[in-house]
Amino acid sequence: MKNFSYVRATSVKEAVQQASTDNNAMFIAGGTNLVDRMKVFLDEPSQLIDITRLEMTRIEPTGEGLRLGALVSNTAVADHPEVRRSYPMLTRAILLGASQQIRNVATVGGNLLQRTRCPYYYDTAFACNKRELDTGCAALTGINRIHALLGASDQCVAVHPSDMCVPLAALDAIVEVESSKGKRQIPFTDFHRLPGDAPQRDTTLEPGELITAVILPPAPFAKSSVYLKLRDRDSYAFALVSVAAAVELADNRIKTARLAMGGMAHKPWRFTEAESFLVGKAANTETFQQAAELALQGAKPLEYNGFKVELAKRAIRRALTVSAKGGGIV
Ligand code: SF4
């Protein structure tokens, strides 16, 4: 392991100023993914800027919606009464995402920045463009059953691992960031990126930018929202596919629909075309099946992950059905 220095920031301003002086510095909070990566030399920062003492630990209502400070633990978000009441798919996604111990230290900001669990990325005996650009992608010809169906490139077919980020995409959350150059907001669906020819970049964050909060806009349709996660074993495994779905009805017709999936792409995948299709339709099995077919029509399976196409369609149908009936645990 390369030597690195450690500094503990006492304010956001100090943290971003410190980061602006060193392109190889990294912020650390819960460290639940970063420390793992450092142990296998995937990340070798020149310095770690500890942000755990910064004032980003509150959940508070604002004019834009419910603001989750970047250092709020995943446990605190999942347990918050307003999150449980108004955004139940977010609570469910977090509870299904990791063990209680990990949720207690993992943060809002860190959850957004966790990296793929593609096994070839973590095993330095294999080629990986995300780890080292232009070296190849072992997953393309390897065991690719957990890999992407949508939005992949010939450079990388990895999927984003987060559960929490799937409902955040469905909710049109907003990511607040700050750097030494100032503050900006990033729409959640623009925060993560597709691999293209730069698979080493997971997000649209610029060097030195620090996530300070995630804002949940008001979402009356989300009260009956559901999160469905399908995985190889029923205990803290990453999703083969997952669905965040919300259906709001008026006169037995669909007034609002939201649909996003995890385990499908390099980013949480939002199905806006299927959402538009659903609006105005009767909420029944046939409608939901048609939406699922529409959602998956662009899927491009690899050698071993073709089963995920049908799995995803069934998951969509089930999640939409449960949401239309008022929500609950799927
Ligand atoms: Fe690396 Fe992406 Fe290929 Fe996995 S899918 S080996 S992360 S380039």
Side-chain angles (χ1 to χ4, degrees), residues 11 19 47 86 92-94 103 132 137 141 143 154 167 190 192 204-205 233 243 255 311 319 321:
S11 67
Q47 64 172 307
S86 299
R92 187 74 183 142
I94 293 171
R103 295 198 303 267
E132 192 176 347
C137 170
T141 52
I143 305 299
D154 58 3
D190 294 339
H192 295 100
T204 53
L205 276 180
R233 63 167 199 268
V243 184
K255 182 178 164 199
L311 192 66
T321 301

Side-chain angles (χ1 to χ4, degrees), residues 83-100:
V83 175
R84 296 178 79 94
R85 185 167 44 244
S86 299
Y87 310 96
M89 63 178 160
L90 182 54
T91 288
R92 187 74 183 142
I94 293 171
L95 294 180
L96 290 172
S99 67
Q100 178 77 59

Side-chain angles (χ1 to χ4, degrees), residues 116-122 126-132 135-140 147 154-159 195 199 266:
T116 184
R117 274 22 179 229
C118 170
Y120 302 111
Y121 169 66
Y122 287 86
F126 290 92
C128 174
N129 288 322
K130 187 179 283 293
R131 187 181 346 105
E132 192 176 347
T135 56
C137 170
L140 282 174
H147 291 77
D154 58 3
Q155 300 286 303
C156 180
V157 290
V159 296
H266 201 254

Side-chain angles (χ1 to χ4, degrees), residues 60-67 87 215-218:
E60 55 196 353
T62 69
E64 292 178 287
L66 191 65
R67 186 176 185 277
Y87 310 96
I215 298 168
L216 307 177

Side-chain angles (χ1 to χ4, degrees), residues 15-187:
V16 297
Q17 282 299 337
Q18 184 73 20
S20 72
T21 63
D22 181 354
N23 279 342
N24 291 317
M26 295 183 82
F27 299 114
I28 185 163
T32 57
N33 187 215
L34 175 58
V35 173
D36 285 350
R37 299 199 309 265
M38 288 178 68
K39 284 180 187 169
V40 291
F41 313 114
L42 286 173
D43 284 299
E44 296 184 304
S46 52
Q47 64 172 307
L48 285 181
I49 304 171
D50 183 340
I51 58 169
T52 53
R53 306 298 166 92
L54 304 188
E55 276 299 314
M56 304 191 292
T57 55
R58 285 200 294 273
I59 298 178
E60 55 196 353
T62 69
E64 292 178 287
L66 191 65
R67 186 176 185 277
L68 314 176
L71 288 175
V72 177
S73 73
N74 286 187
T75 297
V77 176
D79 288 347
H80 193 275
E82 182 57 18
V83 175
R84 296 178 79 94
R85 185 167 44 244
S86 299
Y87 310 96
M89 63 178 160
L90 182 54
T91 288
R92 187 74 183 142
I94 293 171
L95 294 180
L96 290 172
S99 67
Q100 178 77 59
Q101 290 86 348
I102 290 175
R103 295 198 303 267
N104 287 347
V105 291
T107 62
V108 167
N111 199 311
L112 272 57
L113 296 178
Q114 59 176 308
R115 305 204 74 182
T116 184
R117 274 22 179 229
C118 170
Y120 302 111
Y121 169 66
Y122 287 86
D123 189 338
T124 53
F126 290 92
C128 174
N129 288 322
K130 187 179 283 293
R131 187 181 346 105
E132 192 176 347
L133 207 53
D134 296 330
T135 56
C137 170
L140 282 174
T141 52
I143 305 299
N144 44 39
R145 67 185 293 279
I146 65 169
H147 291 77
L149 294 170
L150 296 165
S153 74
D154 58 3
Q155 300 286 303
C156 180
V157 290
V159 296
H160 193 265
S162 170
D163 288 289
M164 189 181 91
C165 289
V166 183
L168 292 179
L171 289 166
D172 278 331
I174 296 161
V175 186
E176 272 187 13
V177 303
E178 185 166 340
S179 72
S180 58
K181 295 176 186 159
K183 302 178 185 181
R184 68 178 176 125
Q185 293 188 333
I186 307 172

